[in-house]
Amino acid sequence: MLKIRERHGLDDLGISFHDYETTIQWSYNADSWFHAASTMKLAVLAGVFRQWARDELALDAPVHVRNRFTSIVDEQPFMLELGGSDSEVLGNLGRAMPVRDLAYQMITRSSNLATNLLVDVIGIETIQHALAELGIDGIRVLRGVEDQLAFDAGLNNEVTANGLARLLRIIADGRAWSPEASAEMLRILLDQQYKSGIPAGLPSDARVAHKTGNISTVDHDAGIVHLETRRPYVLVILTRFAPDKARSAAVADISRDIFKTLAGPSAG
């Protein structure tokens, strides 16, 4: 791992791995905290489906789409800087979108607008309760995204590789509230559109249910890898680098190394 860190110029690296085929578990620096970036959206997804499983939220419930939110610091209002990942949600500005569609856009396109709308619908406390009820202590969610006042105050969402891996394993095992809720979350995660992380190190026929996360100093991917000839494995890779460094292919390279190790000589 030190060679990988040096080769890619990483300041920090965290990995958590669990193989359902062999039951092998392996980790590196997996309890170290990283800025969550968009991997926190996995916790929001869990919170949404907690409420659905409890019959406290309908997936077809309409949510008014607007770009105005409240900071956790002094309750100051702020707006998001919207980009291409928000295009589908932005097209409904001033109208309503179902919870189901917002959850889909939050994960598959990593829409920050969809994320903050859902955070407002269910509340931060619900997300925290969801994580506690699932027994996950390696994910901390304090706020939505792009809350600059909170960021400046050091109030950030944080994750560990083990925390994200535990959440993914619970979903993969069908134990996230109910088999139905777990299956619905898995279906959404399998439609992830950003594939430059874990999937980039795998054969083209691999199916990965995953969530990426990156900002100027981190690049993460957390997923459940499905291959045709074996049972799946859970892999979480968290990377941190200096602000003046460009994002590297470290996540894809680590994913490729792990796949080759599992596949043996046949992987080429």
Side-chain angles (χ1 to χ4, degrees):
M1 290 301 109
L2 289 177
K3 288 183 179 179
I4 290 174
R5 287 179 60 169
E6 290 173 1
R7 183 165 78 244
H8 292 280
L10 301 177
D11 289 342
D12 209 352
L13 171 66
I15 304 172
S16 185
F17 169 79
H18 173 80
D19 185 18
Y20 282 99
E21 177 81 9
T22 63
T23 71
I24 290 173
Q25 296 187 65
W26 177 81
S27 65
Y28 173 82
N29 202 28
D31 289 318
S32 290
W33 291 95
F34 290 72
H35 190 294
S38 286
T39 62
M40 60 80 67
K41 294 168 185 176
L42 285 168
V44 181
L45 187 70
V48 167
F49 278 90
R50 172 189 188 265
Q51 298 306 92
W52 177 69
R54 291 161 60 99
D55 292 326
E56 295 179 13
L57 179 67
L59 293 181
D60 58 359
V63 179
H64 178 69
V65 177
R66 87 285 181 199
N67 185 13
R68 186 177 176 85
F69 303 96
T70 303
S71 172
I72 62 171
V73 175
D74 297 330
E75 298 185 348
Q76 293 295 307
F78 70 95
M79 298 176 68
L80 302 181
E81 294 184 11
L82 302 175
S85 63
D86 297 299
S87 58
E88 184 73 23
V89 184
L90 186 58
N92 288 280
L93 197 66
R95 300 194 292 270
M97 285 184 71
V99 166
R100 186 195 314 272
D101 292 355
L102 289 173
Y104 186 83
Q105 292 296 319
M106 173 180 70
I107 297 298
T108 64
R109 297 291 305 280
S110 204
S111 168
N112 288 341
L113 184 54
T115 302
N116 280 13
L117 290 169
L118 288 174
V119 168
D120 279 2
V121 167
I122 63 175
I124 288 294
E125 284 191 5
T126 291
I127 298 168
Q128 293 170 342
H129 286 321
L131 294 171
E133 289 168 11
L134 294 175
I136 297 169
D137 58 8
I139 302 176
R140 297 173 183 157
V141 176
L142 304 179
R143 58 173 175 83
V145 292
E146 291 190 36
D147 184 343
Q148 189 62 43
L149 286 175
F151 180 83
D152 293 342
L155 301 172
N156 296 313
N157 303 317
E158 296 180 303
V159 294
T160 69
N162 275 342
L164 290 171
R166 177 163 176 77
L167 177 54
L168 289 173
R169 286 184 61 187
I170 290 171
I171 293 171
D173 293 344
R175 296 185 290 111
W177 320 123
S178 69
E180 294 78 14
S182 298
E184 189 68 14
M185 284 189 276
L186 188 62
R187 182 190 68 79
I188 294 171
L189 290 164
L190 280 166
D191 273 357
Q192 174 61 248
Q193 299 299 298
Y194 300 113
K195 303 179 184 294
S196 63
I198 291 172
L202 300 172
S204 59
D205 60 355
R207 298 167 62 243
V208 187
H210 66 124
K211 183 69 198 80
T212 57
N214 60 79
I215 54 174
S216 60
T217 57
V218 303
D219 184 31
H220 309 322
D221 205 354
I224 307 163
V225 177
H226 298 261
L227 300 167
E228 288 188 351
T229 58
R230 69 191 315 279
R231 297 187 69 196
Y233 60 87
V234 171
L235 176 61
V236 177
I237 305 169
L238 308 179
T239 68
R240 180 164 52 232
F241 43 87
D244 59 348
K245 270 198 166 291
R247 191 174 5 149
S248 73
V251 174
D253 285 356
I254 294 167
S255 173
R256 184 177 298 106
D257 287 347
I258 288 173
F259 168 75
K260 286 183 176 179
T261 300
L262 293 174
S266 62

